[in-house]
């Protein structure tokens, strides 16, 4: 029909359970089946294409009657509702109707005549047929076409004759009695759909872009979408006296949106987004089949990671930014590459493919893989190239076929997509859009036997951990395993909870790991990166962490013996900063936290102790003062060791205050208000410094100034010399600090 110049569109079908018509408050369903338009046909039928037809009928599984829009098709159809009515009407007016293409309906017939509505439009009218059971369908009307099904079960059948031109005498009668022809048919009211409503001047941009997206999703190319998009543009409100093509004008509209500007919006959408295509061949090939269960050979469940992640499925990693999701995924890939992951492939190294939209390979991912001990021969960088050879971002579900080919060719057991949001078209909060992408990934996983693992972010705040994944709930529902991540600020550990495991037996739901800094060699020198250290099962879950209330404490609450000693200079943090200062190795807050975490000291205790050191005038927080800013902790006015091995500490007089507050210290990475005043020696009796006392021979007084009350760390042996001194072999330090201490020791030996 489309090839014959007829503009068709889908109607309700009696075989559907419910009427598919676009009903609303102004046009409720009257109970008639098989005749109501399933689309906003007045606009849709103007630019109908084969692709649109295939998509609409495939969407309804072929159950849709066919409507013909008379105006765009240049038709006038005489609808006889009872046998013999047209003959009676012709006899009354002395007219003999010529033979033409005729469709038999359930109880009457439709006579098709061609007529050019662009010259003299004939609309829908009954005046010329008054007294007879005959309707006229012209511009603004439609009729049910042949091959459709009547509500009675009868099929609309054509007689096979060509369409004849409308006789002039009939045309004159119809024109004399016709109402004004209009493109707004009786059925299509404003409430029927957005394509018939005025677009206010404040919403023109959003409406045009959204409509362009809808046309793109239909699989149309730019030229096919342009006519329908123009009709949408004509609904936009324009200033009075401008854009005469527009249907709506008002003096309140401040400026016009011209047709070239609207075309630019359409072009931008079509350039940025891929079309969802469904070919006619795909529609024809879709056949329902049945396979009985006794014909299916049962198989055992196979696991990539034993009792955690089944092969051939989609898995999700979700958590807030910075909680170690990507680093843990690399840790998992490294085990697969070495054949060490407990599961089906243990003992056999298998490839992993990684697509990353956030991290670069050379400076970030490859060093992390090296730190994780990955076999780089089994790690592949997955990427998509366009026809011109330019690398582009994957688009799901558009690229699932080429992804399947790449996974099969590589023999990959694991595919990591980080993050999934960058690869998805459509609205991430709409279930249909999310399902379209994830269901396609699930088919790829099932076909290749690989696990497709993607990374997704958490929403803010507490609540049910299962509901924290951003976007539609389909992100969780459509996958077979979900792992949630959170950072436990009390221990510094990362907590992982398996929130979903469709095929997994009961077991440990949560486990923990920590991130440890390590150095790997690169062509440009050593690189400092993080690696995963497994800590085993955890009694704390992600839900516990994100719903933990903030600790409320007064000045003397929540402290333990590791917060400080009676002599602050004997505390472990003071010793760390002192020895690092001697070695000229700046200590970042993360260095102190790593050192403390290795000894079981909480993050909160570290900051409380540093706050006490600053309030006592012993320590200060500084930054580099340039981009990117790096925060360091150091002792106040520390002077590096002289040739004689002595250090100089300036005095801080009793009663002086500092400008650093506890709140400042907790803003890691920010600078404090000012340099803190010099440190005051405990037990000081004169205004002199420690160096002054030594130079005066007061060695006994000096020796008694620093007498710790408790050991620097619980369980450590009290040292007789300088308490708590660090060496390059002291555990829990970052590699950077350890190297600096070792260099300082070598210099001291050679001095």
């Amino acid at each position: 029909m489309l090839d014959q110049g007829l503009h068709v569109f889908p109607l309700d079908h009696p075989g559907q359970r419910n009427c598919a018509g676009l009903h609303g408050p102004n046009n409720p369903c009257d109970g008639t089946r098989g005749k109501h338009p399933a689309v906003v046909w007045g606009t849709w039928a103007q630019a109908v294409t084969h692709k649109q037809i295939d998509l609409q009928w495939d969407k309804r599984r072929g159950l849709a009657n066919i409507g013909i829009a008379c105006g765009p098709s240049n038709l006038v159809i005489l609808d006889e509702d009872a046998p013999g009515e047209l003959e009676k009407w012709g006899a009354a007016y002395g007219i003999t109707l010529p033979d033409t293409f005729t469709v038999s309906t359930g109880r009457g017939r439709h006579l098709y005549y061609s007529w050019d509505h662009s010259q003299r439009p004939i609309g829908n009218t009954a005046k010329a047929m008054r007294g007879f059971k005959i309707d006229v369908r012209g511009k603004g009307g439609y009729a049910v076409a042949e091959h459709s099904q009547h509500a009675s079960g009868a099929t609309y059948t054509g007689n096979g004759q060509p369409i004849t031109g409308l006789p002039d005498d009939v045309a004159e009668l119809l024109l004399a009695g016709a109402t004004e022809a209009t493109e707004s048919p009786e059925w299509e009211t404003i409430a029927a759909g957005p394509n018939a409503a005025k677009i206010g001047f404040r919403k023109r941009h959003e409406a045009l872009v959204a409509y362009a997206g809808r046309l793109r999703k239909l699989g149309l190319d730019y030229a096919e979408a342009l006519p329908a998009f123009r009709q949408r543009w004509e609904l936009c409100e324009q200033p009075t006296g401008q854009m005469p093509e527009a249907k709506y004008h008002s003096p309140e509209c401040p400026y016009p949106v011209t047709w070239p500007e609207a075309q630019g919006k359409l072009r931008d959408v079509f350039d940025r987004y891929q079309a969802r295509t469904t070919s006619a061949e795909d529609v024809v090939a879709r056949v329902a089949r049945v396979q009985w269960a006794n014909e299916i050979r049962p198989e055992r469940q196979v696991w990539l990671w034993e009792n955690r992640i089944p092969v051939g499925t989609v898995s999700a990693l979700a958590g807030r930014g910075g909680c170690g999701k990507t680093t843990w995924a690399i840790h998992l890939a490294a085990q697969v590459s070495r054949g060490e992951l407990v599961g089906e492939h243990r003992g056999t190294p298998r490839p992993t493919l990684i697509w990353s939209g956030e991290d670069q390979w050379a400076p970030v991912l490859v060093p992390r893989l090296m730190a994780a001990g990955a076999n780089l021969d089994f790690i592949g960088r997955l990427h998509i190239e366009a026809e011109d050879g330019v690398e582009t971002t994957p688009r799901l579900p558009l690229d699932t076929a080429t992804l399947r080919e790449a996974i099969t060719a590589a023999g990959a057991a694991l595919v990591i997509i980080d993050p999934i949001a960058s690869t998805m078209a459509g609205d991430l909060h709409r279930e249909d859009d999310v399902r379209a992408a994830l269901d396609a990934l699930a088919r790829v996983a099932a076909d290749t036997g690989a696990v497709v693992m993607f990374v997704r972010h958490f929403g803010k705040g507490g609540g049910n951990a299962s509901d924290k994944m951003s976007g539609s709930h389909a992100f969780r529902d459509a996958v077979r395993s979900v792992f949630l991540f959170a950072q436990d600020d009390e221990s510094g550990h990362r907590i992982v909870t398996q929130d979903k495991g469709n095929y997994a037996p009961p077991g440990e739901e949560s486990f923990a790991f920590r991130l440890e800094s390590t150095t790997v060699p690169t062509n440009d020198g050593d690189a400092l990166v993080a690696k995963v250290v497994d800590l085993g099962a955890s009694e704390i879950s992600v839900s516990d962490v994100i719903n933990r209330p903030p600790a409320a404490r007064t000045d003397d609450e929540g402290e333990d013996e590791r917060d400080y000693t009676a002599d602050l200079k004997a505390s472990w943090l003071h010793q760390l900063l002192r020895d690092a200062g001697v070695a000229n190795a700046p200590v970042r807050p993360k260095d102190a936290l790593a050192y403390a975490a290795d000894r079981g000291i909480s993050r909160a205790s570290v900051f409380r102790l540093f706050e006490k050191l600053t309030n006592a005038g012993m320590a200060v927080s500084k930054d580099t003062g340039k981009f990117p800013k790096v925060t360091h902790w150091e002792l106040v006015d520390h002077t590096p060791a002289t040739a004689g091995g002595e250090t100089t500490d300036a005095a801080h007089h009793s009663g002086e205050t500092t400008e650093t507050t506890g709140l400042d210290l907790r803003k890691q990475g920010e600078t404090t208000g000012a340099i803190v005043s010099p440190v005051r020696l405990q037990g000081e009796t004169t205004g002199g410094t420690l160096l002054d006392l030594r130079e005066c021979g007061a060695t006994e007084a000096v020796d008694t100034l620093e007498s710790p009350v408790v050991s620097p760390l619980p369980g450590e042996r009290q040292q007789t010399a300088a308490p708590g001194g660090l060496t390059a072999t002291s555990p829990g330090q970052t590699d950077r600090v350890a190297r600096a201490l070792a260099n300082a020791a070598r210099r001291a030996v050679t001095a």
Side-chain angles (χ1 to χ4, degrees), residues 38-357:
V39 295
V40 184
W41 66 274
T43 299
W44 194 87
Q46 291 283 345
V48 65
T49 66
H50 288 288
K51 288 182 180 179
Q52 287 177 304
I53 292 172
D54 293 337
L55 287 170
Q56 288 293 335
W57 265 263
D58 180 48
K59 178 180 178 181
R60 294 168 174 80
R61 302 184 300 280
L63 288 179
N65 278 348
I66 305 168
I68 295 180
C70 297
S73 303
N74 283 324
L75 291 177
V76 171
I77 297 178
L78 303 181
D79 179 4
E80 181 186 59
D81 288 336
E85 290 296 306
L86 280 170
E87 286 77 4
K88 295 177 183 178
W89 174 79
Y93 286 91
I95 294 175
T96 301
L97 293 172
D99 292 338
T100 187
F101 177 71
T102 303
V103 175
S104 298
T105 66
R107 57 184 180 181
R109 55 180 178 158
H110 294 163
L111 278 66
Y112 287 57
Y113 293 97
S114 60
W115 180 258
D116 187 357
H117 291 286
S118 65
Q119 301 300 319
R120 300 176 69 190
I122 296 176
N124 302 313
T125 180
K127 291 183 179 179
M129 305 295 185
R130 187 166 295 165
F132 302 91
K133 296 180 179 179
I134 302 171
D135 292 321
V136 178
R137 294 290 176 257
K139 186 176 181 180
Y142 70 90
V144 182
E146 66 173 330
H147 307 305
S148 298
Q149 182 178 326
H150 193 268
S152 64
T155 301
Y156 289 74
T157 306
N159 62 5
Q161 294 188 19
I163 298 175
T164 303
L166 183 69
D168 291 339
D169 52 353
V170 176
E172 292 302 326
L173 280 173
L174 296 180
L175 288 168
T179 56
E180 181 181 359
T182 175
E183 287 293 350
S184 298
E186 296 175 5
W187 172 268
E188 187 182 6
T189 64
I190 295 297
N195 290 342
K198 178 180 75 173
I199 302 172
F201 67 85
R202 292 186 178 89
K203 297 183 179 180
R204 292 176 296 182
H205 171 76
E206 293 81 357
L208 289 174
V209 171
Y211 191 64
R214 290 172 56 191
L215 294 174
R216 190 56 163 159
K217 288 181 180 180
L218 286 173
L220 306 180
D221 59 31
Y222 179 79
E224 291 171 327
L226 202 58
F229 190 72
R230 181 179 176 87
Q231 294 188 23
R232 183 67 168 162
W233 167 74
E234 291 175 355
L235 296 174
C236 292
E237 187 177 12
Q238 302 284 10
T240 301
Q242 302 186 48
M243 302 294 116
E245 308 97 317
K247 298 183 182 298
Y248 304 99
H249 297 83
S250 73
E252 290 80 17
C253 183
Y255 58 88
V257 173
T258 66
W259 174 233
E261 291 174 338
Q263 286 178 287
K265 299 179 190 298
L266 180 67
R267 172 62 68 186
D268 179 63
V269 170
F270 272 56
D271 287 344
R272 287 190 293 120
Y273 298 102
Q274 298 288 340
R276 295 182 182 177
T277 58
T278 302
S279 66
E281 291 78 8
D282 292 337
V283 175
V284 173
R286 295 167 67 90
V287 179
R289 307 271 188 201
V290 176
Q291 183 180 16
W292 299 107
N294 61 1
E295 301 173 356
I296 302 173
R297 183 173 64 87
E299 298 176 352
R300 68 179 178 87
Q301 182 64 61
V302 181
W303 302 91
L304 175 71
W305 183 14
E306 189 69 31
N307 294 334
R308 291 280 193 181
I309 304 176
V311 302
T313 63
V314 180
S315 182
L317 311 181
R320 292 171 185 158
C323 62
K325 302 182 296 295
T326 301
T327 306
W328 186 84
I330 288 175
H331 174 67
L332 192 73
Q335 295 179 74
V336 174
S337 73
R338 300 191 304 266
E340 295 178 1
L341 184 64
V342 179
E344 181 69 13
H345 305 306
R346 187 173 190 179
T348 305
R350 292 295 303 274
T352 293
L353 304 182
I354 303 175
W355 179 84
S356 176

Side-chain angles (χ1 to χ4, degrees), residues 660-676:
T660 303
T661 68
L663 179 60
D664 294 329
L665 299 177
R666 298 181 188 277
K667 295 180 179 178
Q668 186 172 337
E670 298 182 7
T671 60
T672 55
I675 300 297
V676 188

Side-chain angles (χ1 to χ4, degrees), residues 485-552:
F485 288 68
Q487 178 174 335
D488 184 3
D489 289 338
E490 289 191 356
S491 65
H493 299 159
R494 270 62 173 181
I495 307 299
V496 185
T497 297
Q498 182 162 9
D499 182 61
K500 181 178 181 180
N502 287 66
Y503 311 136
E508 297 289 349
E509 293 183 353
S510 299
F511 55 93
F513 67 91
R514 62 180 174 87
L515 297 180
E516 180 177 276
S517 297
T518 187
T519 302
V520 297
T522 71
N523 293 338
D524 302 324
D526 291 347
L528 188 65
V529 295
K531 70 174 184 179
V532 168
V533 177
D534 287 316
L535 300 176
S538 171
E539 295 182 356
I540 300 175
S541 68
V542 169
S543 181
D544 295 334
V545 173
I546 66 174
N547 291 296
R548 180 182 294 151

